Amino acid sequence: MLSFVTRRLLSSIPVVLAVLALCFLLVRIAPGSPFATERALDPRTKAMLEEKFGLSGSLAEQLVRYGGNVLRGDLGDSLKFRGRTVAEIIGQSLPRSLLLGSISFSLALGLGVPLGAWAAAHYGRKTDSFLNSVALLTLSTPTFVLAPVSVLVFAFGLKLLPPAGWGTLSQLVLPAICLAIPFIGVCARLTRGGLLETLGSDFIRTARAKGVTETKLVYLHALRPAVLPLVAYAGPLAANILTGSLVIEEVFAVPGIGQFFVNGVINRDVFLVSGVVLVYCLLLLLFNLIADWLTALLDPRIRAAS
Amino acid sequence: MKLTRSALILLGLLGLLLLAAILGPIGSPYDVGELSDNHLLPPSSHHWLGTDLHGRDLLTRLMYGARISLLVGFVGASISLLVGVVYGLIAGYTGGRVDNLMMRFVDVLYALPRIVLVIVLISLFDLKLKAMLDGTLFAPFATHARLLLLFVGLGLVEWLTLARIVRAQVLTIKERPFVLSSRLIGQSTPVILVRQILPQVLPIVITYLTLALPAVILEESFLSFLGLGVQAPLASWGTLLADGASMLNPVETPWWLIVFPAAVLVGCLLLFNLLGDQLRRMGADAGR
């Protein structure tokens, strides 16, 4: 198990570095300067600024300098939010996004899995087809559609919840639900599909012959192998929630990492963009690693093979 | 494969949508860019879905938006289809170390925040590409540089799943007798791939298209909503929804600017997803 983890981590390092380099170069090649203001910038001032932030010299020199700094743990300074380091910005904004994301993640799984299991237990009946339609509807309703509509209805129409902001519990409700809903349907469908496949297998027939009740059969015996596709989906789910968060933070004015990322791209804030992409990559790699590890834990066949 | 009745109904609805996108703007009494003094009118018999901040007719804008959204969807999905099928065919048929390496690459890409990279690519390369196209044969396309980047960027996001599916299929198909016999009579590898194996994976590919289409449309709207996708004077459904969302205020929000683009988007995605479900179910029945 340990060798599996180290091997995966080691093979991920070059990928992360490559993505980081690509990102840095893309932002640097792009037209438009992070130092641009309303007035034309004096070339000498520009040169001084570039010198100060370590953006002078050829692209290769800049990249090597930046790469070296990152390896030493220095993500550089933000070019637009003057006087703040990228590490500081990420340190402040990431926990908010993580909190929001993890609530939505739990909601998607916590509602999706029981719904899917319920549908599978009623396979072919009215409940099943009704739940299927609901799942299809939620997964066809993207986050960026839900967000403005729910603000319109629940914040301004019914005046139940605050429309935006960050800090209180009630301000968390709408963004977390909007971020979770599209993925509830996906989770439900994966659970249902996995369960139906498992329920047709031999060990279930044996258990049924042994006299295990149907409820126990579905929720206890079959669920464990049936959640395997769901575990495999955990990585992509995290990625989707991460990108969905960009919109949610925009609409609900959540000062999370996504806002800084979008601003950074628009402002050509090279260190900020690269830093956030680095964090995103590391997060997702971690998630996929955990998912693979869980798969091995749940599936005895894979455990034996590794 | 015989179409079920619900599949036919869904295809009919899809046809109506296409018709509205193609013919609608022509039949509309309003011009899409036409500014008027009728700011923010609610739905009425003159403007069925109301007007926006600049007095433009929302229904006309939505039908124009359908052109952009569907176009990006179709082209993006086709690109992902092409890349995914070719990649999967090569990996699956070659097998061995090449296959291993190619699929490892797919795994790596799976674990990356692809849409985030597309955002970086699109918003940063837009002007560069425009400058590159200007003065060449392709100058007419220069104004649509961003649209071209969207096609490619989103196409490159969605191909991974298909590559995996096609590879898995090819792995079993290539061991079947008819492939072995065509190799025996000396058919070359490209011929075997195109004439023998490709027709076998085609049904799955078509089913997958109904999955990739809504995914690409969704991603384009997502980017446009953030202001990073399609840009004025072009407008997609995502742009229109973002326009509506920017008018959100506690006093008096023009609800029609949010509700109608949202309904159109959800309706379209639902349509494609339902169609995909039907096709997959028919495929499963046929396979039995």
Side-chain angles (χ1 to χ4, degrees):
Chain A
M1 199 66 233
L2 200 67
S3 74
F4 164 75
V5 171
T6 30
R7 207 168 55 226
R8 279 292 296 272
L9 282 180
L10 283 178
S11 70
S12 300
I13 290 174
V15 179
V16 173
L17 288 181
V19 169
L20 194 67
L22 186 75
C23 196
F24 183 86
L25 289 177
L26 273 177
V27 183
R28 284 307 291 163
I29 294 170
S33 157
F35 306 116
T37 47
E38 303 280 312
R39 285 180 304 149
L41 202 60
D42 176 35
R44 274 175 43 214
T45 323
K46 186 166 179 255
M48 268 170 61
L49 278 170
E50 286 183 341
E51 179 74 44
K52 181 181 164 225
F53 284 103
L55 291 172
S56 53
S58 71
L59 269 179
E61 284 168 29
Q62 296 177 27
L63 181 63
V64 169
R65 200 177 303 138
Y66 177 62
N69 286 341
V70 169
L71 289 180
R72 276 193 297 274
D74 176 13
L75 293 178
D77 295 333
S78 167
L79 306 177
K80 209 71 192 180
F81 301 96
R82 290 287 164 79
R84 299 180 68 185
T85 66
V86 171
E88 194 182 296
I89 292 179
I90 292 176
Q92 280 171 4
S93 57
L94 183 64
R96 302 181 187 128
S97 299
L98 279 184
L99 176 66
L100 186 63
S102 47
I103 296 176
S104 302
F105 191 85
S106 324
L107 270 178
L109 285 175
L111 291 174
V113 172
L115 279 178
W118 196 25
H122 294 83
Y123 175 66
R125 276 180 272 170
K126 277 228 172 74
T127 326
D128 182 31
S129 60
F130 172 72
L131 287 175
N132 253 328
S133 322
V134 173
L136 209 59
L137 186 64
T138 68
L139 73 88
S140 305
T141 314
T143 310
F144 58 88
V145 173
L146 276 169
V149 172
S150 65
V151 170
L152 185 68
V153 175
F154 295 104
F156 294 150
L158 303 172
K159 303 203 186 307
L160 282 176
L161 291 159
W166 181 257
T168 66
L169 204 61
S170 59
Q171 281 170 331
L172 208 64
V173 176
L174 275 184
I177 293 180
C178 287
L179 191 49
I181 283 185
F183 310 113
I184 294 177
V186 185
C187 290
R189 276 159 68 103
L190 281 174
T191 311
R192 177 179 174 274
L195 260 179
L196 287 181
E197 198 168 304
T198 321
L199 283 176
S201 57
D202 288 343
F203 79 97
I204 292 294
R205 198 181 48 198
T206 315
R208 193 175 278 144
K210 212 174 65 173
V212 178
T213 61
E214 204 63 22
T215 317
K216 254 181 136 180
L217 205 67
V218 172
Y219 295 97
L220 234 67
H221 290 238
L223 204 53
R224 183 170 131 171
V227 291
L228 280 173
L230 202 69
V231 174
Y233 177 65
L237 175 63
N240 285 335
I241 284 185
L242 204 117
T243 42
S245 189
L246 297 182
V247 172
I248 290 290
E249 287 171 20
E250 184 94 10
V251 174
F252 292 100
V254 176
I257 196 170
Q259 287 242 12
F260 285 100
F261 172 70
V262 175
N263 280 329
V265 172
I266 292 167
N267 293 331
R268 311 281 185 264
D269 197 338
V270 60
F271 296 127
L272 185 58
V273 173
S274 307
V276 173
V277 168
L278 177 69
V279 169
Y280 280 165
C281 284
L282 290 178
L283 266 178
L284 289 186
L285 285 171
L286 182 72
F287 249 91
N288 281 290
L289 193 67
I290 296 174
D292 286 351
W293 177 68
L294 268 179
T295 311
L297 207 69
L298 285 168
D299 193 338
R301 286 166 302 184
I302 294 180
R303 210 179 323 154
S306 69
Chain B
M1 212 152 60
K2 209 168 155 292
L3 292 171
T4 58
R5 206 178 56 186
S6 19
L8 280 176
I9 294 173
L10 291 170
L11 281 176
L13 284 174
L14 183 63
L16 278 180
L17 183 69
L18 285 176
L19 217 60
I22 296 166
L23 297 179
I26 302 169
S28 162
Y30 303 101
D31 190 56
V32 67
E34 186 185 278
L35 307 182
S36 71
D37 293 330
N38 306 322
H39 309 301
L40 296 176
L41 291 183
S44 66
S45 56
H46 290 292
H47 297 278
W48 289 356
L49 300 184
T51 62
D52 72 356
L53 183 62
H54 305 292
R56 288 173 290 192
D57 182 58
L58 182 60
L59 180 60
T60 312
R61 294 203 82 199
L62 274 176
M63 290 189 296
Y64 264 101
R67 287 185 176 180
I68 301 293
S69 287
L70 292 174
L71 183 70
V72 174
F74 277 112
V75 177
S78 309
I79 291 178
S80 75
L81 209 77
L82 197 70
V83 177
V85 169
V86 170
Y87 198 92
L89 276 178
I90 294 176
Y93 195 75
T94 316
R97 181 169 282 177
V98 177
D99 175 35
N100 224 330
L101 208 67
M102 284 175 86
M103 292 331 277
R104 185 78 196 106
F105 180 63
V106 169
D107 291 344
V108 165
L109 285 184
Y110 245 108
L112 292 179
R114 278 161 285 145
I115 199 87
V116 167
L117 296 180
V118 171
I119 290 179
V120 175
L121 179 83
I122 288 179
S123 44
L124 299 181
F125 253 121
D126 180 20
L127 293 170
K128 196 94 181 164
L129 183 68
K130 207 174 271 179
M132 273 162 62
L133 289 176
D134 259 338
T136 65
L137 260 179
F138 304 103
F141 295 108
T143 44
H144 297 314
R146 188 164 273 242
L147 210 54
L148 292 178
L149 279 173
L150 267 177
F151 290 157
V152 178
L154 293 180
L156 291 183
V157 168
E158 284 298 321
W159 63 276
L160 299 174
T161 316
L162 189 64
R164 276 186 180 173
I165 300 173
V166 169
R167 170 192 170 262
Q169 287 286 315
V170 173
L171 278 184
T172 60
I173 293 173
K174 74 172 180 187
E175 304 296 341
R176 301 250 295 271
F178 67 91
V179 176
L180 293 178
S181 23
S182 49
R183 208 183 304 170
L184 204 65
I185 61 168
Q187 280 190 327
S188 66
T189 310
V191 173
I192 295 178
L193 281 177
V194 174
R195 298 272 292 276
Q196 311 291 348
I197 296 181
L198 193 60
Q200 299 289 318
V201 292
L202 223 46
I204 300 167
V205 170
I206 290 168
T207 311
Y208 176 80
L209 187 64
T210 56
L211 280 176
L213 254 170
V216 174
I217 291 177
L218 192 147
E219 274 152 9
E220 179 272 316
S221 309
F222 168 81
L223 292 177
S224 298
F225 185 87
L226 281 176
L228 301 169
V230 176
Q231 290 201 323
L234 296 178
S236 78
W237 289 335
T239 331
L240 295 176
L241 186 63
D243 283 354
S246 69
M247 307 281 297
L248 272 170
N249 68 76
V251 187
E252 202 181 0
T253 304
W255 56 269
W256 56 93
L257 290 182
I258 296 174
V259 170
F260 293 126
V264 169
L265 201 51
V266 172
C268 173
L269 293 176
L270 194 61
L271 184 62
F272 279 116
N273 283 331
L274 279 168
L275 199 61
D277 257 22
Q278 285 291 326
L279 286 180
R280 239 166 306 155
R281 201 167 303 162
M282 286 181 328
D285 287 346
R288 227 165 255 156

